[in-house]
Amino acid sequence: MTALRNITVLGTGVLGSQIAYQTAYRGFDVVAYDIDDAALEAAKQRFAGLADTYVTEGVDGAADGKAQAAIGRIILSADLGDAVAKADLVIEAIPENLEIKRATYEQLATLAPEHTIFATNSSTLLPSDLASFTGRADRFLALHFANRVWVHNTAEVMGTEATTPEVFQTVVEFAAEIGMVPIEIKKEKAGYLLNSLLVPFLQAAGELLVDGIAEPDAIDKTWRIGTGAPMGPFQIYDIVGLTTAYNISMMGGAKQQAFAALIKERYIDQGKLGVATGEGFYSYPKGE
């Protein structure tokens, strides 16, 4: 067992809330940080929904009180200093924006104890893109989760040349302790393993929409019927969240930036951010 007991998760969006809840579910004390009380109120609802989901989907022990007990191990905080004051490990799951991450890590560098390990869940930025902001490059690496962590329970661990082997191994062991399957990445690779496969697939779907070839429903239907996959690319976009999709697409070429502009105008500016808000490319009535 690692010495990591107090875990702080920065960001309580779709994936951040899952990371925090799964960690608490496996017996760790968790502080879930977000920028204001409104975000934390939304986080409360996500945690309650996750507890229900763990029960309805038959996660081991959930129906015997473990799902509700996990909520009791999560402390909510909108004060970054308080959130990381006792942290052994900080898992960052904030928006995919370099400047936001830079500002956050520069604060963390002065607020967190010297022993604290920092891990980014960034899907698109390499840990070496962020390491210089952390003030502890030797204790910094990437720990990347897939959506629906209780089912798709991979945790990709990827360090930089500065990450010490001891820190890398500690995070690998921690991932296993919270019920993940650790995937050790031997060298830095944008997209890790999962997104190296997934992102080109999603980008191809976005380009079909931008070019006017077909609408999301037809594209998704074709993929589901043709491959037997449970979801099509635009259903996946809704789960990932359209803000994340926008930020990632803005870093791409001209066609991807056109897709970013499209989803901003048609969806994000209308408050349609995906599953989290009940509407994105599709509508999600409450409870579905």
Side-chain angles (χ1 to χ4, degrees):
M1 180 178 292
T2 69
L4 306 179
R5 304 316 302 164
N6 298 308
I7 313 301
T8 298
V9 178
L10 307 185
T12 59
V14 172
L15 197 50
S17 61
Q18 291 180 24
I19 297 167
Y21 183 81
Q22 175 67 19
T23 302
Y25 192 79
R26 298 290 293 210
F28 289 80
D29 294 323
V30 177
V31 178
Y33 165 84
D34 220 314
I35 57 174
D36 55 34
D37 290 340
L40 294 179
E41 185 58 38
K44 285 183 183 179
Q45 302 306 313
R46 289 194 182 98
F47 293 139
L50 285 166
D52 291 342
T53 298
Y54 275 46
V55 172
T56 58
E57 296 196 11
V59 176
D60 186 39
D64 300 323
K66 193 174 177 180
Q68 285 301 317
I71 294 177
R73 282 190 287 273
I74 301 172
I75 295 173
L76 301 173
S77 177
D79 184 310
L80 187 59
D82 286 347
V84 303
K86 298 180 180 179
D88 298 314
L89 172 66
V90 173
I91 303 172
E92 169 265 306
I94 64 177
E96 290 288 273
N97 179 292
L98 180 60
E99 290 309 310
I100 293 174
K101 290 184 187 291
R102 176 177 184 163
T104 300
Y105 279 112
E106 288 177 344
Q107 291 182 71
L108 284 175
T110 63
L111 294 172
E114 289 184 8
H115 76 275
T116 308
I117 296 171
F118 295 164
T120 181
N121 182 58
S122 176
S123 296
T124 57
L125 295 167
L126 292 171
S128 59
D129 294 333
L130 305 169
S132 64
F133 311 143
T134 69
R136 59 190 76 192
D138 59 329
R139 302 183 67 77
F140 172 70
L141 75 177
L143 178 60
H144 184 249
F145 296 80
N147 190 57
R148 288 175 54 83
V149 300
W150 63 97
V151 177
H152 307 303
N153 61 328
T154 58
E156 297 171 293
V157 184
M158 182 169 71
T160 73
E161 291 184 353
T163 307
T164 67
E166 294 79 13
V167 165
F168 187 93
Q169 190 58 39
T170 294
V171 173
V172 167
E173 292 173 8
F174 166 78
E177 289 173 357
I178 63 169
M180 300 294 103
V181 177
I183 307 296
E184 299 183 36
I185 310 297
K186 295 182 177 180
K187 61 173 68 175
E188 282 191 290
K189 170 68 173 71
Y192 310 82
L193 302 187
L194 178 60
N195 282 331
S196 291
L197 300 169
L198 178 62
V199 170
F201 165 65
L202 295 178
Q203 288 177 336
E207 292 181 14
L208 288 171
L209 178 61
V210 165
D211 288 342
I213 305 301
E215 291 299 308
D217 180 65
I219 296 168
D220 283 353
K221 185 185 300 181
T222 300
W223 183 256
R224 291 196 307 269
I225 294 172
T227 67
M231 292 184 291
F234 292 97
Q235 291 172 292
I236 295 173
Y237 270 129
D238 274 355
I239 292 172
V240 170
L242 299 193
T243 300
T244 297
Y246 172 81
N247 288 332
I248 292 172
S249 297
M250 281 298 292
M251 293 187 286
K255 194 71 68 77
Q256 285 304 304
Q257 291 184 27
F259 177 61
L262 182 152
I263 58 177
K264 183 177 187 301
E265 179 182 352
R266 295 188 190 177
Y267 301 98
I268 294 174
D269 288 349
Q270 314 305 319
K272 302 175 182 180
L273 307 183
V275 171
T277 59
E279 190 169 3
F281 288 105
Y282 300 93
S283 295
Y284 303 89
K286 189 173 181 180
E288 291 190 8

